[in-house]
Amino acid sequence: MSQKIRTRFAPSPTGFLHIGGARTTLYNWLFARRHKGDFILRIEDTDEVRSTDDSVTAILDSVKWLGLDWDEGPVDGKTDKGPYSPYFQMQRVHIYRKHLDQLVAEGKAYRCYCTKEELDEYRRVAQLEKRPPRYPGVCRALSDGQRKEREAAGKKFSIRFKMPADGATIVDDQIRGKVSFENNLQQDLVIWKTTDGPTYNFCCVIDDHLMEMTHVVRGDEHLSNTPSQIQIYHALGWTPPLFAHLSMILGPDGSKLSKRHGATSVLEYRDQGYLPHTMRNYLALLGWSTTESQQLFTDEDLIAKFDLAGCQKSPATFDTVKLNWMNGEYIRQTPVKELVSLAKPFLEKAGLVGLPGPALERVVALEHEKFKLLSEIPALIEFFYKPVVFDPKAFDKVLKAPGAKQVLLDMAEALSGFAPFEDKALEARIRQFVADKGLKNGQVFHPIRVAVSGRTEGPTLFLMLEIMGKDMVVSRLRDAASRIA
Ligand code: GLU
Protein backbone atom coordinates (compact mmCIF):
# COMPACT_ATOMS: atom_id res chain seq x y z
CA MET A 1 0.00 0.00 0.00
CA SER A 2 1.55 3.28 -1.03
CA GLN A 3 -0.81 5.52 0.92
CA LYS A 4 0.17 6.19 4.52
CA ILE A 5 -2.05 4.17 6.85
CA ARG A 6 -4.19 6.29 9.16
CA THR A 7 -6.44 4.80 11.82
CA ARG A 8 -8.41 6.33 14.63
CA PHE A 9 -10.15 5.67 17.87
CA ALA A 10 -13.22 7.87 18.08
CA PRO A 11 -14.89 7.51 21.46
CA SER A 12 -18.10 9.22 22.48
CA PRO A 13 -17.28 10.62 25.93
CA THR A 14 -20.43 9.36 27.60
CA GLY A 15 -18.81 7.04 30.13
CA PHE A 16 -15.61 5.22 30.95
CA LEU A 17 -13.39 3.46 28.49
CA HIS A 18 -14.58 -0.12 28.72
CA ILE A 19 -12.90 -3.32 27.64
CA GLY A 20 -14.43 -3.27 24.15
CA GLY A 21 -13.29 0.30 23.53
CA ALA A 22 -9.84 -0.52 24.85
CA ARG A 23 -9.54 -3.41 22.41
CA THR A 24 -10.67 -1.17 19.54
CA THR A 25 -8.05 1.39 20.55
CA LEU A 26 -5.36 -1.25 20.74
CA TYR A 27 -6.14 -2.77 17.34
CA ASN A 28 -6.13 0.62 15.65
CA TRP A 29 -2.88 1.46 17.38
CA LEU A 30 -1.24 -1.86 16.49
CA PHE A 31 -2.34 -1.62 12.89
CA ALA A 32 -1.02 1.93 12.54
CA ARG A 33 2.27 1.08 14.28
CA ARG A 34 2.75 -2.06 12.22
CA HIS A 35 2.41 -0.08 8.99
CA LYS A 36 4.32 2.95 10.24
CA GLY A 37 1.16 4.94 9.89
CA ASP A 38 -0.62 7.44 12.12
CA PHE A 39 -2.96 6.74 14.98
CA ILE A 40 -5.48 9.45 15.74
CA LEU A 41 -7.73 10.04 18.72
CA ARG A 42 -10.93 11.94 18.02
CA ILE A 43 -13.56 12.87 20.58
CA GLU A 44 -17.11 12.39 19.28
CA ASP A 45 -18.95 14.65 21.68
CA THR A 46 -22.02 15.50 19.58
CA ASP A 47 -24.35 13.99 22.16
CA GLU A 48 -24.43 17.12 24.28
CA VAL A 49 -26.67 15.65 26.91
CA ARG A 50 -24.58 12.57 27.64
CA SER A 51 -21.05 13.83 26.91
CA THR A 52 -19.05 14.96 29.92
CA ASP A 53 -15.62 16.44 30.56
CA ASP A 54 -14.98 13.80 33.20
CA SER A 55 -15.53 11.14 30.65
CA VAL A 56 -13.05 12.74 28.23
CA THR A 57 -10.49 12.79 31.04
CA ALA A 58 -11.20 9.19 32.02
CA ILE A 59 -10.84 8.02 28.42
CA LEU A 60 -7.56 9.89 27.89
CA ASP A 61 -6.23 8.56 31.21
CA SER A 62 -7.21 5.04 30.23
CA VAL A 63 -5.57 5.15 26.81
CA LYS A 64 -2.43 6.65 28.36
CA TRP A 65 -2.35 4.02 31.06
CA LEU A 66 -2.65 1.32 28.41
CA GLY A 67 0.50 2.81 26.92
CA LEU A 68 -1.08 3.56 23.55
CA ASP A 69 0.28 6.86 22.30
CA TRP A 70 -1.55 8.86 19.67
CA ASP A 71 -0.01 10.99 16.95
CA GLU A 72 -2.84 13.49 16.66
CA GLY A 73 -5.70 14.39 18.90
CA PRO A 74 -6.40 15.77 22.37
CA VAL A 75 -3.56 17.05 24.49
CA ASP A 76 -5.94 17.33 27.44
CA GLY A 77 -9.68 17.62 27.91
CA LYS A 78 -9.92 20.83 25.90
CA THR A 79 -6.96 21.30 23.59
CA ASP A 80 -5.51 19.21 20.84
CA LYS A 81 -2.71 19.07 18.32
CA GLY A 82 -2.27 17.80 14.81
CA PRO A 83 -2.66 18.93 11.21
CA TYR A 84 -6.40 18.19 11.16
CA SER A 85 -7.28 20.02 14.38
CA PRO A 86 -9.79 20.35 15.96
CA TYR A 87 -10.24 16.74 17.05
CA PHE A 88 -13.25 17.48 19.24
CA GLN A 89 -16.35 17.24 17.08
CA MET A 90 -18.21 20.03 18.83
CA GLN A 91 -15.42 22.36 17.70
CA ARG A 92 -16.04 21.30 14.09
CA VAL A 93 -19.71 22.11 13.72
CA HIS A 94 -19.04 24.81 11.11
CA ILE A 95 -17.40 22.15 8.93
CA TYR A 96 -20.38 19.80 9.21
CA ARG A 97 -22.78 22.69 8.51
CA LYS A 98 -21.06 23.42 5.21
CA HIS A 99 -21.46 19.84 4.02
CA LEU A 100 -25.00 19.71 5.29
CA ASP A 101 -25.89 22.77 3.24
CA GLN A 102 -24.37 21.14 0.19
CA LEU A 103 -26.43 17.95 0.60
CA VAL A 104 -29.63 19.91 1.13
CA ALA A 105 -28.95 22.17 -1.87
CA GLU A 106 -28.36 19.11 -4.05
CA GLY A 107 -31.59 17.48 -2.87
CA LYS A 108 -29.70 14.66 -1.12
CA ALA A 109 -31.03 15.55 2.29
CA TYR A 110 -34.31 17.08 3.37
CA ARG A 111 -36.07 18.81 6.22
CA CYS A 112 -38.23 16.54 8.34
CA TYR A 113 -40.94 18.28 10.36
CA CYS A 114 -42.31 15.19 12.06
CA THR A 115 -42.73 15.66 15.79
CA LYS A 116 -41.61 13.21 18.42
CA GLU A 117 -45.23 12.15 18.92
CA GLU A 118 -45.68 11.50 15.21
CA LEU A 119 -42.47 9.48 15.09
CA ASP A 120 -43.61 7.44 18.10
CA GLU A 121 -46.87 6.77 16.33
CA TYR A 122 -45.16 5.58 13.09
CA ARG A 123 -43.08 3.25 15.19
CA ARG A 124 -46.09 1.91 17.04
CA VAL A 125 -47.98 1.18 13.84
CA ALA A 126 -44.92 -0.44 12.25
CA GLN A 127 -44.60 -2.71 15.26
CA LEU A 128 -48.27 -3.65 15.08
CA GLU A 129 -47.88 -4.48 11.40
CA LYS A 130 -44.65 -6.33 12.14
CA ARG A 131 -42.58 -4.05 9.91
CA PRO A 132 -39.13 -2.78 10.88
CA PRO A 133 -39.64 0.43 12.89
CA ARG A 134 -38.00 2.75 10.40
CA TYR A 135 -39.00 6.27 9.45
CA PRO A 136 -41.61 5.90 6.69
CA GLY A 137 -40.30 8.87 4.69
CA VAL A 138 -43.28 11.16 5.26
CA CYS A 139 -41.36 14.42 4.79
CA ARG A 140 -39.26 13.07 1.96
CA ALA A 141 -42.34 13.21 -0.23
CA LEU A 142 -43.69 16.63 0.77
CA SER A 143 -44.86 18.89 -2.04
CA ASP A 144 -43.55 22.46 -2.18
CA GLY A 145 -46.90 23.65 -0.88
CA GLN A 146 -46.84 21.33 2.12
CA ARG A 147 -43.31 22.33 2.92
CA LYS A 148 -44.16 26.06 2.77
CA GLU A 149 -47.13 25.49 5.03
CA ARG A 150 -44.93 23.88 7.68
CA GLU A 151 -42.32 26.59 7.39
CA ALA A 152 -44.96 29.29 7.72
CA ALA A 153 -46.25 27.59 10.86
CA GLY A 154 -42.69 27.85 12.21
CA LYS A 155 -42.41 24.09 12.69
CA LYS A 156 -39.10 22.78 13.94
CA PHE A 157 -37.26 20.36 11.70
CA SER A 158 -34.44 17.88 11.64
CA ILE A 159 -32.54 17.03 8.50
CA ARG A 160 -32.57 13.54 7.10
CA PHE A 161 -30.28 11.93 4.61
CA LYS A 162 -32.03 10.39 1.59
CA MET A 163 -31.07 6.74 1.33
CA PRO A 164 -31.41 5.22 -2.14
CA ALA A 165 -34.88 3.68 -2.43
CA ASP A 166 -33.68 0.43 -3.93
CA GLY A 167 -30.61 -1.63 -4.58
CA ALA A 168 -28.19 -2.75 -1.90
CA THR A 169 -25.16 -1.30 -0.19
CA ILE A 170 -22.25 -3.68 0.11
CA VAL A 171 -19.89 -3.31 3.03
CA ASP A 172 -16.65 -4.97 1.99
CA ASP A 173 -15.51 -5.65 5.52
CA GLN A 174 -11.86 -6.54 6.12
CA ILE A 175 -12.83 -9.13 8.71
CA ARG A 176 -16.29 -10.31 7.70
CA GLY A 177 -16.00 -10.13 3.94
CA LYS A 178 -18.82 -8.68 1.86
CA VAL A 179 -21.98 -7.88 3.82
CA SER A 180 -24.98 -6.72 1.81
CA PHE A 181 -27.68 -4.38 3.14
CA GLU A 182 -30.94 -3.81 1.24
CA ASN A 183 -31.32 -0.06 0.86
CA ASN A 184 -35.09 -0.15 1.21
CA LEU A 185 -34.64 -1.53 4.72
CA GLN A 186 -32.42 1.38 5.77
CA GLN A 187 -34.08 4.47 7.03
CA ASP A 188 -33.43 8.07 6.08
CA LEU A 189 -31.09 8.90 8.94
CA VAL A 190 -31.30 12.11 10.87
CA ILE A 191 -28.02 13.86 10.16
CA TRP A 192 -28.93 17.12 11.87
CA LYS A 193 -31.04 17.23 15.02
CA THR A 194 -34.16 19.33 15.63
CA THR A 195 -32.19 20.91 18.46
CA ASP A 196 -29.74 22.19 15.83
CA GLY A 197 -26.74 19.94 15.86
CA PRO A 198 -25.10 17.23 13.76
CA THR A 199 -25.37 13.54 14.57
CA TYR A 200 -22.73 10.86 14.94
CA ASN A 201 -23.22 9.14 11.57
CA PHE A 202 -22.81 12.40 9.69
CA CYS A 203 -19.82 13.79 11.59
CA CYS A 204 -18.07 10.46 11.50
CA VAL A 205 -18.13 10.34 7.70
CA ILE A 206 -16.96 13.91 7.29
CA ASP A 207 -14.16 13.57 9.79
CA ASP A 208 -12.96 10.21 8.57
CA HIS A 209 -12.77 11.67 5.07
CA LEU A 210 -11.23 15.04 5.93
CA MET A 211 -8.80 13.45 8.40
CA GLU A 212 -7.81 11.05 5.61
CA MET A 213 -8.47 7.81 7.45
CA THR A 214 -7.54 4.78 5.42
CA HIS A 215 -9.06 2.21 7.81
CA VAL A 216 -12.00 2.37 10.17
CA VAL A 217 -11.59 -0.40 12.71
CA ARG A 218 -14.39 -0.48 15.27
CA GLY A 219 -16.82 -2.65 17.20
CA ASP A 220 -19.42 -4.61 15.29
CA GLU A 221 -22.24 -2.63 16.90
CA HIS A 222 -21.37 -0.09 14.19
CA LEU A 223 -21.70 -2.49 11.27
CA SER A 224 -25.36 -1.55 10.87
CA ASN A 225 -24.40 2.15 10.60
CA THR A 226 -21.96 1.46 7.84
CA PRO A 227 -24.35 1.25 4.83
CA SER A 228 -25.75 4.70 5.64
CA GLN A 229 -22.27 6.04 6.15
CA ILE A 230 -21.15 4.61 2.82
CA GLN A 231 -24.11 6.27 1.09
CA ILE A 232 -23.21 9.60 2.71
CA TYR A 233 -19.65 9.25 1.35
CA HIS A 234 -21.10 8.66 -2.10
CA ALA A 235 -23.49 11.57 -1.82
CA LEU A 236 -20.56 13.85 -0.99
CA GLY A 237 -18.56 12.43 -3.89
CA TRP A 238 -15.99 10.73 -1.66
CA THR A 239 -14.44 7.27 -1.57
CA PRO A 240 -15.08 5.49 1.75
CA PRO A 241 -12.16 4.14 3.78
CA LEU A 242 -11.78 0.41 4.37
CA PHE A 243 -13.92 -0.92 7.20
CA ALA A 244 -13.17 -3.66 9.71
CA HIS A 245 -15.73 -4.57 12.36
CA LEU A 246 -14.48 -6.41 15.42
CA SER A 247 -16.50 -9.23 16.88
CA MET A 248 -18.41 -8.84 20.08
CA ILE A 249 -16.90 -9.63 23.48
CA LEU A 250 -18.86 -12.08 25.62
CA GLY A 251 -18.70 -12.89 29.30
CA PRO A 252 -18.02 -16.47 30.43
CA ASP A 253 -21.76 -17.25 30.41
CA GLY A 254 -22.02 -16.41 26.71
CA SER A 255 -23.91 -13.14 27.08
CA LYS A 256 -22.52 -9.77 26.01
CA LEU A 257 -19.76 -8.66 28.42
CA SER A 258 -21.25 -6.33 30.99
CA LYS A 259 -20.98 -5.09 34.54
CA ARG A 260 -22.50 -8.32 35.82
CA HIS A 261 -19.37 -10.17 34.71
CA GLY A 262 -17.12 -7.93 36.81
CA ALA A 263 -15.03 -4.89 36.01
CA THR A 264 -15.68 -3.39 32.59
CA SER A 265 -13.82 -0.11 32.79
CA VAL A 266 -10.12 0.00 32.01
CA LEU A 267 -9.36 2.11 35.07
CA GLU A 268 -10.88 -0.58 37.28
CA TYR A 269 -8.32 -3.01 35.86
CA ARG A 270 -5.59 -0.51 36.65
CA ASP A 271 -6.92 -0.17 40.20
CA GLN A 272 -7.09 -3.93 40.65
CA GLY A 273 -3.40 -4.21 39.89
CA TYR A 274 -3.09 -5.43 36.32
CA LEU A 275 -0.05 -4.31 34.36
CA PRO A 276 -0.58 -2.23 31.21
CA HIS A 277 1.49 -4.77 29.32
CA THR A 278 -0.80 -7.58 30.45
CA MET A 279 -3.79 -5.63 29.19
CA ARG A 280 -2.17 -4.99 25.81
CA ASN A 281 -1.27 -8.64 25.38
CA TYR A 282 -4.55 -9.97 26.72
CA LEU A 283 -6.77 -7.61 24.73
CA ALA A 284 -4.77 -8.30 21.57
CA LEU A 285 -5.82 -11.95 21.86
CA LEU A 286 -9.45 -11.10 22.51
CA GLY A 287 -10.51 -11.56 18.92
CA TRP A 288 -7.17 -11.99 17.17
CA SER A 289 -4.62 -14.78 17.03
CA THR A 290 -1.56 -15.89 15.13
CA THR A 291 -1.67 -19.17 13.27
CA GLU A 292 0.62 -20.66 15.93
CA SER A 293 -1.71 -19.47 18.73
CA GLN A 294 1.14 -17.66 20.44
CA GLN A 295 0.08 -16.39 23.87
CA LEU A 296 2.80 -14.11 25.22
CA PHE A 297 4.07 -11.19 23.20
CA THR A 298 6.40 -8.29 23.67
CA ASP A 299 5.06 -5.05 22.24
CA GLU A 300 7.48 -5.28 19.33
CA ASP A 301 6.27 -8.77 18.62
CA LEU A 302 2.63 -7.72 18.70
CA ILE A 303 3.28 -4.83 16.37
CA ALA A 304 5.19 -7.05 13.98
CA LYS A 305 2.51 -9.74 13.91
CA PHE A 306 -0.84 -8.02 14.26
CA ASP A 307 -3.00 -8.02 11.16
CA LEU A 308 -6.67 -7.74 10.35
CA ALA A 309 -6.62 -11.13 8.62
CA GLY A 310 -6.01 -12.76 12.01
CA CYS A 311 -9.13 -11.17 13.52
CA GLN A 312 -12.00 -13.53 14.10
CA LYS A 313 -15.61 -13.12 12.99
CA SER A 314 -17.04 -15.06 15.88
CA PRO A 315 -17.41 -13.48 19.32
CA ALA A 316 -14.50 -13.52 21.75
CA THR A 317 -14.94 -14.64 25.35
CA PHE A 318 -13.44 -12.68 28.21
CA ASP A 319 -11.62 -15.07 30.48
CA THR A 320 -10.46 -13.70 33.84
CA VAL A 321 -8.53 -16.85 34.67
CA LYS A 322 -6.36 -16.38 31.62
CA LEU A 323 -5.99 -12.66 32.33
CA ASN A 324 -4.79 -13.41 35.87
CA TRP A 325 -2.41 -16.07 34.67
CA MET A 326 -0.94 -13.65 32.17
CA ASN A 327 -0.61 -10.91 34.77
CA GLY A 328 1.27 -13.31 37.07
CA GLU A 329 3.58 -14.18 34.18
CA TYR A 330 4.35 -10.54 33.48
CA ILE A 331 4.80 -9.69 37.12
CA ARG A 332 7.37 -12.48 37.36
CA GLN A 333 9.13 -11.14 34.27
CA THR A 334 9.26 -7.61 35.64
CA PRO A 335 12.58 -6.73 37.32
CA VAL A 336 11.94 -6.13 41.00
CA LYS A 337 12.99 -2.47 40.92
CA GLU A 338 10.42 -1.77 38.22
CA LEU A 339 7.84 -3.88 40.02
CA VAL A 340 8.19 -1.78 43.16
CA SER A 341 7.73 1.33 41.11
CA LEU A 342 4.62 -0.10 39.38
CA ALA A 343 3.26 -1.12 42.78
CA LYS A 344 3.92 2.32 44.34
CA PRO A 345 0.27 3.48 44.22
CA PHE A 346 -0.82 0.32 46.04
CA LEU A 347 1.98 0.50 48.57
CA GLU A 348 1.23 4.15 49.21
CA LYS A 349 -2.43 3.48 49.68
CA ALA A 350 -1.56 0.81 52.25
CA GLY A 351 0.76 3.26 54.03
CA LEU A 352 3.85 1.16 53.36
CA VAL A 353 6.05 3.76 51.72
CA GLY A 354 8.72 5.62 53.67
CA LEU A 355 8.52 3.42 56.79
CA PRO A 356 11.60 2.27 58.70
CA GLY A 357 12.48 -1.34 58.02
CA PRO A 358 14.03 -3.36 55.22
CA ALA A 359 14.21 -1.96 51.68
CA LEU A 360 10.96 -2.54 49.79
CA GLU A 361 12.86 -4.12 46.95
CA ARG A 362 14.29 -6.87 49.17
CA VAL A 363 10.89 -7.65 50.63
CA VAL A 364 9.06 -7.60 47.31
CA ALA A 365 11.74 -9.81 45.78
CA LEU A 366 11.08 -12.41 48.50
CA GLU A 367 7.51 -12.96 47.30
CA HIS A 368 7.97 -12.08 43.64
CA GLU A 369 6.82 -15.49 42.41
CA LYS A 370 3.52 -15.29 44.20
CA PHE A 371 1.92 -12.06 43.05
CA LYS A 372 -0.81 -12.24 40.44
CA LEU A 373 -1.96 -8.65 40.97
CA LEU A 374 -0.07 -5.57 42.09
CA SER A 375 -2.85 -4.98 44.57
CA GLU A 376 -1.95 -8.20 46.40
CA ILE A 377 1.53 -6.97 47.27
CA PRO A 378 0.76 -4.85 50.37
CA ALA A 379 -1.11 -7.58 52.24
CA LEU A 380 1.66 -10.07 51.59
CA ILE A 381 4.44 -7.84 52.86
CA GLU A 382 2.93 -5.48 55.39
CA PHE A 383 4.13 -7.42 58.45
CA PHE A 384 7.68 -6.36 57.61
CA TYR A 385 6.68 -2.79 58.42
CA LYS A 386 3.66 -2.86 60.65
CA PRO A 387 3.09 -4.49 64.05
CA VAL A 388 2.32 -8.19 63.73
CA VAL A 389 -1.36 -8.98 63.50
CA PHE A 390 -1.85 -12.58 64.61
CA ASP A 391 -4.14 -14.79 62.62
CA PRO A 392 -6.24 -16.17 65.50
CA LYS A 393 -6.20 -19.71 64.09
CA ALA A 394 -2.43 -19.65 63.69
CA PHE A 395 -2.05 -18.28 67.19
CA ASP A 396 -4.19 -21.02 68.73
CA LYS A 397 -2.82 -23.87 66.74
CA VAL A 398 0.88 -23.00 66.61
CA LEU A 399 1.70 -20.65 69.46
CA LYS A 400 -0.49 -22.31 72.06
CA ALA A 401 0.97 -25.71 71.25
CA PRO A 402 2.88 -27.28 74.15
CA GLY A 403 6.43 -26.07 74.33
CA ALA A 404 6.02 -23.28 71.79
CA LYS A 405 6.43 -20.50 74.31
CA GLN A 406 9.71 -21.96 75.57
CA VAL A 407 10.96 -22.39 72.00
CA LEU A 408 10.36 -18.70 71.33
CA LEU A 409 12.12 -17.62 74.50
CA ASP A 410 15.06 -19.91 73.83
CA MET A 411 15.30 -18.80 70.24
CA ALA A 412 15.20 -15.14 71.22
CA GLU A 413 18.04 -15.83 73.61
CA ALA A 414 20.03 -17.80 71.04
CA LEU A 415 19.62 -15.24 68.27
CA SER A 416 20.11 -12.05 70.25
CA GLY A 417 23.87 -12.31 70.04
CA PHE A 418 23.97 -14.27 66.82
CA ALA A 419 26.10 -13.24 63.85
CA PRO A 420 26.15 -13.11 60.93
CA PHE A 421 22.39 -12.69 60.81
CA GLU A 422 22.15 -14.33 57.41
CA ASP A 423 19.97 -16.85 55.70
CA LYS A 424 22.36 -19.84 55.67
CA ALA A 425 23.89 -19.18 59.05
CA LEU A 426 20.45 -18.77 60.61
CA GLU A 427 19.27 -21.99 59.07
CA ALA A 428 22.27 -23.89 60.47
CA ARG A 429 21.80 -22.36 63.90
CA ILE A 430 18.09 -23.08 64.10
CA ARG A 431 18.53 -26.65 62.87
CA GLN A 432 21.21 -27.11 65.48
CA PHE A 433 18.72 -25.91 68.09
CA VAL A 434 16.14 -28.44 66.82
CA ALA A 435 18.68 -31.23 67.15
CA ASP A 436 19.97 -30.17 70.56
CA LYS A 437 16.47 -30.10 71.97
CA GLY A 438 15.39 -33.30 70.30
CA LEU A 439 12.43 -31.53 68.64
CA LYS A 440 10.89 -31.82 65.22
CA ASN A 441 11.52 -29.05 62.64
CA GLY A 442 7.88 -28.03 62.72
CA GLN A 443 7.91 -27.53 66.49
CA VAL A 444 10.49 -24.81 66.01
CA PHE A 445 10.02 -23.43 62.50
CA HIS A 446 6.27 -22.90 62.81
CA PRO A 447 6.28 -20.96 66.07
CA ILE A 448 9.09 -18.73 64.78
CA ARG A 449 7.19 -18.00 61.60
CA VAL A 450 3.93 -17.19 63.37
CA ALA A 451 5.73 -15.11 65.99
CA VAL A 452 7.47 -12.87 63.48
CA SER A 453 4.73 -12.64 60.83
CA GLY A 454 1.46 -13.53 62.52
CA ARG A 455 0.66 -16.15 59.88
CA THR A 456 1.42 -19.73 58.93
CA GLU A 457 2.25 -19.01 55.31
CA GLY A 458 4.74 -16.63 53.83
CA PRO A 459 8.20 -16.30 52.40
CA THR A 460 10.96 -18.77 52.93
CA LEU A 461 11.71 -18.66 56.65
CA PHE A 462 15.42 -18.04 56.99
CA LEU A 463 15.65 -15.39 54.32
CA MET A 464 12.64 -13.70 55.84
CA LEU A 465 14.45 -13.57 59.19
CA GLU A 466 17.59 -12.20 57.57
CA ILE A 467 15.65 -9.43 55.85
CA MET A 468 13.73 -8.52 59.00
CA GLY A 469 17.00 -8.16 60.85
CA LYS A 470 18.03 -9.25 64.30
CA ASP A 471 16.37 -6.54 66.35
CA MET A 472 12.96 -7.03 64.81
CA VAL A 473 13.16 -10.82 64.98
CA VAL A 474 14.29 -11.00 68.59
CA SER A 475 11.77 -8.47 69.80
CA ARG A 476 8.94 -10.20 67.94
CA LEU A 477 9.91 -13.60 69.37
CA ARG A 478 9.83 -12.14 72.88
CA ASP A 479 6.63 -10.25 72.28
CA ALA A 480 4.84 -13.34 70.94
CA ALA A 481 6.07 -15.42 73.90
CA SER A 482 4.71 -12.84 76.32
CA ARG A 483 1.27 -13.19 74.75
CA ILE A 484 1.12 -16.91 75.37
CA ALA A 485 -0.49 -17.66 78.71
N1 GLU B 1 -18.20 7.38 18.65
C1 GLU B 1 -18.51 6.03 18.39
C2 GLU B 1 -18.61 5.25 19.68
O1 GLU B 1 -18.05 5.68 20.68
C3 GLU B 1 -17.47 5.33 17.57
C4 GLU B 1 -17.74 5.47 16.16
C5 GLU B 1 -16.78 4.90 15.20
O2 GLU B 1 -15.74 4.32 15.57
O3 GLU B 1 -17.06 5.07 14.04
O4 GLU B 1 -19.21 4.23 19.71
Side-chain angles (χ1 to χ4, degrees), residues 179-244:
V179 188
S180 174
F181 294 86
E182 298 289 321
N183 290 334
N184 65 8
L185 296 178
Q186 306 299 312
Q187 65 175 347
D188 288 349
L189 274 192
V190 172
I191 54 175
W192 207 272
K193 292 174 272 197
T194 323
T195 48
D196 193 25
T199 61
Y200 154 68
N201 276 291
F202 189 52
C203 303
C204 177
V205 167
I206 293 171
D207 290 346
D208 284 339
H209 175 77
L210 296 181
M211 295 180 178
E212 302 194 68
M213 296 303 154
T214 55
H215 293 73
V216 167
V217 180
R218 59 187 174 192
D220 69 355
E221 69 274 19
H222 288 293
L223 182 61
S224 59
N225 288 323
T226 310
S228 308
Q229 293 186 3
I230 289 179
Q231 290 300 337
I232 298 175
Y233 279 100
H234 292 161
L236 289 165
W238 299 337
T239 307
L242 295 173
F243 292 98

Side-chain angles (χ1 to χ4, degrees), residues 112-126:
C112 171
Y113 304 92
C114 294
T115 61
K116 185 179 173 301
E117 292 69 32
E118 285 165 332
L119 294 171
D120 287 345
E121 180 60 14
Y122 304 147
R123 216 170 292 130
R124 196 184 65 81
V125 174

Side-chain angles (χ1 to χ4, degrees), residues 305-353:
K305 292 178 180 163
F306 181 81
D307 60 2
L308 294 174
C311 292
Q312 69 198 45
K313 289 184 211 167
S314 54
T317 302
F318 195 87
D319 176 358
T320 312
V321 175
K322 178 169 167 182
L323 176 67
N324 290 347
W325 162 77
M326 198 176 272
N327 207 51
E329 284 293 316
Y330 283 128
I331 286 184
R332 277 192 285 284
Q333 286 182 22
T334 306
V336 73
K337 201 173 157 92
E338 196 184 328
L339 185 61
V340 169
S341 128
L342 286 165
K344 263 279 153 57
F346 300 92
L347 296 166
E348 264 164 8
K349 202 165 148 218
L352 294 176
V353 174

